[in-house]
Amino acid sequence: MNPLYAQMGTTIFEAMSARARETGAINLGQGFADGRGPEAVLEAAARAMLEKSNQYPPMAGLPELRHAVADHYARHQGLDLASEEVIVTSGATEALAATLFALIEPGDEVLLFQPLYDAYVPLVRQAGGVPRFVRLEPPHWRIDAAALEAAVTPRTRVLVLNNPLNPAATMCSAEELAAVAAFCVAHDLVAVCDEVWEHVTFDGARHLPLIGFPGMRARTVKIGSAGKVFALTGFKVGWMCAAPPLARVLARAHQFLTFTTPPNLQWAVAEGLATQDWWVQEARHRFQHGRDRLAAGLASAGLAVLPSAATYFLSVDLAASGIDLDDVSFCGRLIDAGVVAIPVSAFYAEAAVTHVVRFCFVKEDATLDAAIARIAAARDTLGR
């Protein structure tokens, strides 16, 4: 057996969701929204299944969806992408796998920012790469140019950037992105940009894609997710965008992973990208309302809430809350109180931050209120 996977445990998201199912706890751990998503997209998927082909679509994706992704980014981010530069994948995680398998040769070093999505490290290692970590610190989780320079070596080939960043719920500033772009150009790196949260931003903030910065057009892979755009995480439709020399190699890796993605879902996402801008904007306001409601409730329960600029999540700083437990112990006690959260230490491969806990707020008001009430009632048992 491959030791990388044989020795690997269950992901923290599945483990904590299983605890929620077993105990009846309110699940504010795994990141999925309450609600059905946009009805027009659901109806388009059902209609396409009944009225259109259900045989293999083109490996690189339906032309309609590839055009729709390119048009979407032209409207929202000012990017000039050709449809041939878009490769459709079965979710963003498959896009990450295809990208890393296509770009990494054995022994290549890959820069990863911690905290990080837990798929990055095993994918890099399975490709034969060597992960090198740049540690971000709460409460601001900012990228430090000196830390980047300290991590790069002559073997470094790839930098992976998750922006907006889950679980920190931060967005890179224009200054940070310009510094990252200059760093990639100076060291001749390819940037893999996991931008699945690009539309889940708050307080009027606008996502800036790294591919649009000077020197980055030909050295960036931009990864997106319909599941995040439309809060339909089960659709598992994603894409990777890159200049033609990169896109051709990405497609070759993709063809031997999932090969293609269900055509009815592709047609539905294409229709959604073309017609549902209003829904995406309304969802952003609704999610921001949930963020503010949960943040106020946790603060009233005596917990120190960190800022949340994007994503489905906000975090609590246990040390700043006067709680002397580590995040794993706190989450264990929280399950006893009837609420599931995620310890942020699970998002580190080394030198973990152990005093921050992540909550998901894209839930109905009644669900958030019930969770807040349980946390407040159990506050004295959660550590001092």
Side-chain angles (χ1 to χ4, degrees):
M1 290 186 289
N2 184 324
L4 176 65
Y5 295 109
Q7 298 168 17
M8 188 179 297
T10 303
T11 130
I12 187 67
F13 314 111
E14 178 59 26
M16 296 304 276
S17 289
R19 294 292 305 277
R21 292 189 294 269
E22 292 164 4
T23 64
I26 296 170
N27 189 355
L28 301 188
Q30 194 169 13
F32 57 87
D34 286 347
R36 288 169 51 85
E39 291 294 326
V41 175
L42 301 178
E43 290 168 2
R47 188 168 61 249
M49 179 172 282
L50 294 173
E51 298 176 2
K52 298 188 177 186
S53 173
N54 287 291
Q55 305 305 325
Y56 293 127
M59 179 270 291
L62 289 172
E64 295 92 330
L65 179 51
R66 299 172 79 191
H67 280 289
V69 171
D71 290 346
H72 181 83
Y73 285 141
R75 291 199 315 275
H76 290 277
Q77 298 175 10
L79 298 178
D80 182 19
L81 295 171
S83 61
E84 294 75 17
E85 296 176 294
V86 179
I87 308 297
V88 178
T89 59
S90 294
T93 301
E94 195 242 314
L96 285 163
T99 298
L100 294 171
F101 292 166
L103 296 179
I104 295 171
E105 292 187 59
D108 286 350
E109 293 180 354
V110 179
L111 293 181
L112 303 169
F113 295 98
Q114 297 189 110
L116 45 70
Y117 178 44
D118 62 352
Y120 295 164
V121 174
L123 290 174
V124 167
R125 288 181 172 150
Q126 183 61 21
V130 179
R132 291 182 63 85
F133 302 105
V134 179
R135 189 174 188 264
L136 306 182
E137 299 278 355
H140 301 298
W141 316 94
R142 293 303 180 200
I143 295 173
D144 179 69
L148 269 178
E149 291 292 346
V152 73
T153 80
R155 293 291 303 166
T156 307
R157 297 289 182 269
V158 175
L159 176 146
V160 178
L161 178 66
N162 179 205
N163 179 46
L165 174 60
N166 169 32
T170 55
M171 296 176 64
C172 290
S173 67
E175 293 75 18
E176 286 176 289
L177 290 170
V180 170
F183 174 82
C184 289
V185 171
H187 294 283
D188 193 23
L189 306 182
V190 175
V192 177
C193 294
D194 178 355
E195 299 185 350
V196 298
W197 301 104
E198 59 196 341
H199 284 299
V200 191
T201 62
F202 307 126
D203 305 311
R206 177 173 169 265
H207 172 74
L208 300 175
L210 189 66
I211 197 172
F213 279 71
M216 297 308 295
R217 182 65 172 80
R219 64 173 67 249
T220 300
V221 180
K222 174 179 171 60
I223 292 173
S225 166
K228 298 300 190 295
V229 174
F230 299 120
L232 292 168
T233 56
F235 262 44
K236 299 299 290 181
V237 176
W239 48 79
M240 41 191 177
C241 308
L246 283 174
R248 284 192 290 271
V249 181
L250 301 179
R252 291 168 188 159
H254 159 67
Q255 72 182 335
F256 293 120
L257 288 171
T258 62
F259 178 69
T260 191
T261 298
N264 69 309
L265 299 182
Q266 291 193 54
W267 272 305
V269 171
E271 182 165 327
L273 291 176
T275 67
Q276 297 300 300
D277 283 357
W278 69 271
W279 188 94
V280 175
Q281 180 67 11
E282 189 276 332
R284 181 183 292 120
H285 293 311
R286 180 160 36 88
F287 296 156
Q288 182 173 320
H289 165 81
R291 178 201 66 174
D292 294 344
R293 192 180 193 95
L294 181 59
L298 294 176
S300 69
L303 299 176
V305 179
L306 297 179
S308 170
T311 77
Y312 291 169
F313 310 107
L314 59 77
S315 294
V316 163
D317 186 323
L318 301 179
S321 304
I323 294 173
D324 57 4
L325 297 174
D326 63 63
D327 57 348
V328 174
S329 300
F330 178 87
C331 286
R333 291 196 187 180
L334 198 60
I335 291 173
D336 293 337
V339 178
V340 166
I342 299 289
V344 165
S345 60
F347 296 87
Y348 285 78
E350 63 181 28
V353 167
T354 60
H355 60 88
V356 178
V357 171
R358 191 194 80 173
F359 294 84
C360 176
F361 53 71
V362 288
K363 306 296 181 183
E364 298 293 338
D365 285 355
T367 300
L368 296 176
D369 291 346
I372 292 165
R374 292 182 184 186
I375 293 168
R379 179 64 179 85
D380 289 340
T381 69
L382 294 176
R384 287 293 181 186

